[in-house]
């Protein structure tokens, strides 16, 4: 799915700003057709942002159910004759959209974009009312899953993942145009052989008029043409190629043009990084060279605006990644804003791109279900219906992110149950679909500690081993010597059983900034630093380990719980991005080169 761009043939404007807003705990809005008139109440809400923390109101923070957003927009008169599209970069977790009185879109999934062709609904030169209802409820068939419990005090959302269930319009909303005959999709795949690069391209065209021709031109970073071709698909060859590589996000531009009767009818420009990715035994290769991942599992999470995208924070976070010497991150535990992937492409940061399939593991939360432990996979819990949503989440992730050179690996789930036959059956078609959609990238999932190498049945479906390990925190708490022994035994077992690259996608310890101790005391800054050093000693002893991603880059919000002190404190930066001692430990190790 192509992002809106601005050029001679395409226009765009964001609808970011303050929208009218109303939560709807009783679900009255649908019956009363709230899209037909200004929303009740006088609350305004910024877009993009999570709505939860903007107002100091527990009824909004802990709201369960639908919430309405509305704005008015004048469509420029100059857009007459163009195709007009309304696009939401994210609406968490599902949404229905109306333009004036007409429903134009409905979408499931909180972290991937959707759009509607509204050409026949809006009137250029006139105002239109745009109304969106977003629903933050997680159910057994949503990704991520959850369930709503009815209590005497009202609905309560329960879920099996460890971050706050922020909701709302988290990313920009766009109104944009394309010509009627337009480029509707572009897919590129790149190759390298010596000093020659190749770009396979495939262009989809919609609204086709007779005689439309496709021309593609590849330009280098100075704008100089390096290759061209005609036809909707083909291969471009680049001699003396300048590859995209970690640390150096060199990008070419692919200009895709449609020509009609001797004149240009549309142009779409796409950034292209020429690089290869491969798994070879226990090595992870980028451009044929072994790559060692250093960095973090992160979160889109900030004070007040929650998961709302913001360029200031993005640029600052990337600067901190650079300062600390990180070369990569995982979009734990959902697809991040496309702005972040574009920026990673330009910065040469390597990305493991993850779906929002987190918390598919009921073995972890038996206690909450009135003591009755339910099976993870069953008709009543994670079922075929969940798998259908999960498949769609994979399709939308690949459709959105397939062209980003920074993305080198798909992670189709975080810490699901993976030691049962049911889990294997659940995951087989998901791996197959990810590979069918993108034969060019390895596919994996993230294994959790309770499912060690001898028991996990899903890793054999994956191209790499990705494991989260908390020796020294959740087990052997405070005993780093015992943790070191356990960690080494665990990693060696994975290495000998699977002969695949091992990425430790999470390791870390909760740390309250400012807490200190001269002896190893969990929760102190010194303990976090010592624990990280211990893991690094072990990683350096096990050759198959090709990745170290600390959990987490920064402290983040979670639901309330006795294991959490105003959220998860495993960040090496605080939530407002102040370094803890562990940040300097990492900087010393990762900035060595
Ligand atoms: C994990 C999860 C992550 C949690 C983390 C923790 O394994 O993948 O979402 O936040 O542990 O801190 O417990």
């Amino acid at each position: 799915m192509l992002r809106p761009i601005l050029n001679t043939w395409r226009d765009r404007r964001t609808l970011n700003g303050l929208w009218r807003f109303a939560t709807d705990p009783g679900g009255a809005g649908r019956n009363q057709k709230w899209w037909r008139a200004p929303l009740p109440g006088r609350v305004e809400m910024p877009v993009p942002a999570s709505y939860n923390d903007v107002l100091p109101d527990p009824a909004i923070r802990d709201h369960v159910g639908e919430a309405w957003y509305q704005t008015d927009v004048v469509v420029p008169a100059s857009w007459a004759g163009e195709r007009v599209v309304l696009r939401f970069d994210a609406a968490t977790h599902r949404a229905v959209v109306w333009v004036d009185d007409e429903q134009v879109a409905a979408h499931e999934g909180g972290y991937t974009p959707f759009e509607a062709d509204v050409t026949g609904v809006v009137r250029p030169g006139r105002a239109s009312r745009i109304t969106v209802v977003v629903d933050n409820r997680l159910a057994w068939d949503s990704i991520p899953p959850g369930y709503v419990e009815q209590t005497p005090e009202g609905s309560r959302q329960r879920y099996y993942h460890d971050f706050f269930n922020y909701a709302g319009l988290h990313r920009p909303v766009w109104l944009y145009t394309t010509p009627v005959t337009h480029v509707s999709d572009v897919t590129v795949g790149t190759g390298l052989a010596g000093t020659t690069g190749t770009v396979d391209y495939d262009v989809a065209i919609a609204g086709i008029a007779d005689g439309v021709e496709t021309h593609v031109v590849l330009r280098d970073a100075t704008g100089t043409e390096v290759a061209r071709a005609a036809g909707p698909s083909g291969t471009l060859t680049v001699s003396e190629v300048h590859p995209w590589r970690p640390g150096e996000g060199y990008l070419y531009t692919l200009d895709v043009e449609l020509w009609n009767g001797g004149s240009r009818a549309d142009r779409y420009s796409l950034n292209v990084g020429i690089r290869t990715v491969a798994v070879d035994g226990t090595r992870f290769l980028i451009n044929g060279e072994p790559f060692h991942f250093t960095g973090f599992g992160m979160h889109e999470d900030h004070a007040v605006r929650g998961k709302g995208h913001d360029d200031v924070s993005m640029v600052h976070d990337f600067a901190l990644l650079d300062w600390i010497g990180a070369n990569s991150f995982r979009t734990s535990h959902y697809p991040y804003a496309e702005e972040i992937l574009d920026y990673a492409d330009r910065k040469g940061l390597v990305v493991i791109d993850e779906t929002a399939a987190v918390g598919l593991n009921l073995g972890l939360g038996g206690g909450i279900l009135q003591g009755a432990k339910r099976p993870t996979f069953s008709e009543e819990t994670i079922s075929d219906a969940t798998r259908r949503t999960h498949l769609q989440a994979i399709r939308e992730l690949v459709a959105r992110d397939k062209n980003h050179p920074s993305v080198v690996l798909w992670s189709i789930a975080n810490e699901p149950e993976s030691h049962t036959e049911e889990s294997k059956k659940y995951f087989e078609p998901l791996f197959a679909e990810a590979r069918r959609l993108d034969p060019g990238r390895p596919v994996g999932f993230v294994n959790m500690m309770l499912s060690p190498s001898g028991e996990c049945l899903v890793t054999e479906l994956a191209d790499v081993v990705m494991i989260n390990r908390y020796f020294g925190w959740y087990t052997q708490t405070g005993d780093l010597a015992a943790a070191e022994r356990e960690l080494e035994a665990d990693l060696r077992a994975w290495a000998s059983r699977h002969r695949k690259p091992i990425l430790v996608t999470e390791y870390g310890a909760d740390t309250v900034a400012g807490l200190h101790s001269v002896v190893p005391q969990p929760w102190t800054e010194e303990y976090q630093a010592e624990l990280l050093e211990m893991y690094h000693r072990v990683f350096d002893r096990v050759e198959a380990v090709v990745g170290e991603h600390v959990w987490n880059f920064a402290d983040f919000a979670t639901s309330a719980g006795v294991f959490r002190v105003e959220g998860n404190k495993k960040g090496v930066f605080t939530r407002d991005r102040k370094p803890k001692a562990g940040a300097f430990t990492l900087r010393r190790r990762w900035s060595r080169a």
Side-chain angles (χ1 to χ4, degrees):
M1 188 184 227
L2 298 176
R3 292 194 70 192
I5 61 163
L6 186 61
N7 62 25
T8 308
W9 298 269
R10 292 168 174 247
D11 203 355
R12 67 172 184 192
R13 53 186 53 198
T14 74
L15 305 187
N16 297 349
L18 294 184
W19 291 44
R20 295 188 287 280
F21 178 82
T23 51
D24 184 12
R30 301 268 193 151
N31 290 336
Q32 296 169 7
K33 302 190 176 14
W34 281 3
W35 57 89
R36 295 201 157 176
L39 292 180
R42 303 176 62 87
V43 179
E44 295 187 37
M45 196 52 78
V47 173
S50 302
Y51 58 70
N52 307 77
D53 288 346
V54 177
L55 306 173
D57 180 352
I60 293 183
R61 178 172 166 86
D62 297 324
H63 170 68
V64 177
E66 297 194 320
W68 295 73
Y69 287 80
Q70 194 177 62
T71 193
D72 301 308
V73 59
V74 176
V75 176
S78 59
W79 286 12
E82 301 297 312
R83 176 175 166 266
V84 182
V85 183
L86 175 61
R87 170 181 165 117
F88 291 80
D89 283 353
T92 313
H93 294 283
R94 67 190 63 77
V96 181
V97 183
W98 292 263
V99 172
D100 296 322
D101 290 350
E102 195 162 322
Q103 182 183 321
V104 297
H107 182 256
E108 172 73 30
Y111 304 97
T112 41
F114 61 97
E115 57 184 33
D117 182 334
V118 295
T119 317
V121 192
V122 296
R123 291 149 302 166
R126 306 268 296 275
S128 287
R129 187 177 56 250
I130 297 176
T131 311
V132 191
V133 62
V134 295
D135 184 350
N136 69 350
R137 279 171 294 193
L138 298 173
W140 288 118
D141 61 351
S142 65
I143 291 293
Y147 64 99
V148 175
E149 197 178 316
Q150 300 306 332
T151 75
E153 291 70 43
S155 303
R156 298 288 184 268
Q157 178 73 61
R158 313 288 185 208
Y159 44 89
Y160 293 82
H161 56 267
D162 183 36
F163 56 93
F164 189 78
N165 187 34
Y166 280 117
L169 298 180
H170 284 149
R171 298 176 189 159
V173 181
W174 303 91
L175 210 49
Y176 73 94
T177 70
T178 73
V180 174
T181 299
H182 61 278
V183 175
S184 59
D185 199 11
V186 184
T187 308
V188 297
T190 60
L192 286 170
T195 57
T196 304
T198 51
V199 179
D200 295 328
Y201 73 92
D202 189 22
V203 178
I205 303 166
I208 296 189
D210 283 346
V212 171
E213 289 171 17
T214 309
H215 293 270
V216 299
V217 178
L218 191 72
R219 295 174 212 280
D220 68 15
T222 69
T224 307
E225 179 179 324
V226 294
R228 68 163 54 223
S233 60
T235 300
L236 298 162
T237 303
V238 186
S239 51
E240 299 307 321
V241 65
H242 192 146
W244 185 98
R245 56 168 75 94
E248 194 204 359
Y250 188 92
L251 295 173
Y252 291 83
T253 305
L254 184 70
D255 286 328
V256 178
E257 292 185 348
L258 302 185
W259 285 70
N260 198 354
S263 60
R264 285 192 193 88
D266 188 19
R267 174 191 284 179
Y268 194 87
S269 302
L270 185 78
N271 286 333
V272 175
I274 302 180
R275 58 107 185 91
T276 61
V277 179
V279 169
D280 176 30
T282 59
R283 300 185 311 161
F284 193 98
L285 305 177
I286 299 182
N287 301 342
E289 287 168 22
F291 181 66
H292 185 92
F293 296 75
T294 59
F296 299 93
M298 299 179 76
H299 263 300
E300 291 183 309
D301 177 89
H302 290 274
V304 187
R305 64 169 195 285
K307 296 203 175 302
H309 174 74
D310 166 64
D311 282 346
V312 177
S313 304
M314 175 183 78
V315 171
H316 186 58
D317 284 356
F318 272 63
L320 292 179
L321 290 171
D322 187 48
W323 173 84
I324 210 166
N327 62 19
S328 54
F329 62 90
R330 175 169 60 116
T331 72
S332 42
H333 297 306
Y334 36 82
Y336 290 179
E338 287 171 86
E339 287 83 348
I340 295 176
L341 294 176
D342 280 344
Y343 197 44
D345 289 344
R346 294 201 293 280
K347 298 304 256 185
L349 228 67
V350 170
V351 177
I352 301 173
D353 206 358
E354 189 160 277
T355 69
V358 53
L360 282 69
N361 198 333
L362 274 56
L364 287 175
I368 351 179
L369 292 166
Q370 286 102 32
K373 213 167 180 179
R374 294 213 232 168
T376 298
F377 298 98
S378 76
E379 286 293 304
E380 288 74 43
T381 52
I382 307 296
S383 68
D384 286 348
T386 323
R387 187 166 58 191
R388 281 194 290 278
T389 317
H390 198 160
L391 271 170
Q392 182 62 14
I394 292 171
R395 288 183 190 122
E396 292 189 20
L397 177 70
V398 176
R400 194 193 73 163
D401 293 346
K402 61 190 174 185
N403 293 325
H404 286 286
S406 56
V407 175
V408 300
L409 172 60
W410 303 113
S411 166
I412 63 172
N414 180 70
E415 296 196 344
E417 177 177 305
S418 65
H419 64 286
T420 53
E421 283 300 329
E422 290 84 352
S423 57
K424 191 172 172 196
K425 266 196 226 114
Y426 178 91
F427 275 101
E428 265 163 355
L430 301 184
F431 275 96
E433 182 66 355
R435 293 207 171 88
R436 186 187 70 78
L437 292 166
D438 182 9
R441 286 181 183 85
V443 187
F445 86 107
V446 175
N447 159 285
M448 83 156 310
M449 214 167 150
L450 299 178
S451 183
S453 62
E455 290 172 32
C456 182
L457 301 179
V458 180
T459 296
E460 64 195 60
L461 304 172
D463 297 309
V464 296
V465 174
M466 288 195 271
I467 56 177
N468 295 345
R469 288 303 180 263
Y470 287 97
F471 301 110
W473 186 253
Y474 290 120
T475 62
Q476 300 87 36
T477 315
D479 185 350
L480 290 178
E484 182 160 356
R485 176 176 39 76
E486 292 287 340
L487 173 66
E488 182 155 1
D490 183 71
L491 291 178
R492 290 202 184 283
W494 282 101
S496 65
R497 185 174 294 266
H498 287 282
R499 321 279 328 140
K500 291 175 182 173
I502 299 173
L503 284 78
V504 181
T505 34
E506 289 182 22
Y507 61 106
D510 281 276
T511 305
V512 175
L515 217 55
H516 296 287
S517 170
V518 288
V519 291
Q521 282 289 317
W523 297 96
T524 62
E525 295 197 28
E526 289 74 17
Y527 189 78
Q528 184 185 40
E530 279 186 45
L531 179 141
L532 297 176
E533 276 169 2
M534 179 276 279
Y535 273 74
H536 298 152
R537 280 196 300 276
V538 178
F539 296 163
D540 292 346
R541 295 198 289 262
V542 182
E543 211 190 324
V545 173
V546 301
E548 46 194 76
H549 276 180
V550 171
W551 191 255
N552 188 285
F553 173 71
D555 295 345
F556 58 92
T558 64
S559 59
V562 292
F563 286 102
R564 298 289 173 254
V565 185
E566 209 215 354
N568 188 308
K569 290 281 183 284
K570 293 193 187 70
V572 301
F573 294 97
T574 59
R575 202 179 189 206
D576 60 354
R577 278 42 181 176
K578 301 281 192 311
K580 302 177 190 172
F584 296 92
T585 307
L586 294 175
R587 184 168 195 246
R588 276 192 297 277
R589 175 174 172 85
W590 292 344
S591 306
R592 256 188 330 224

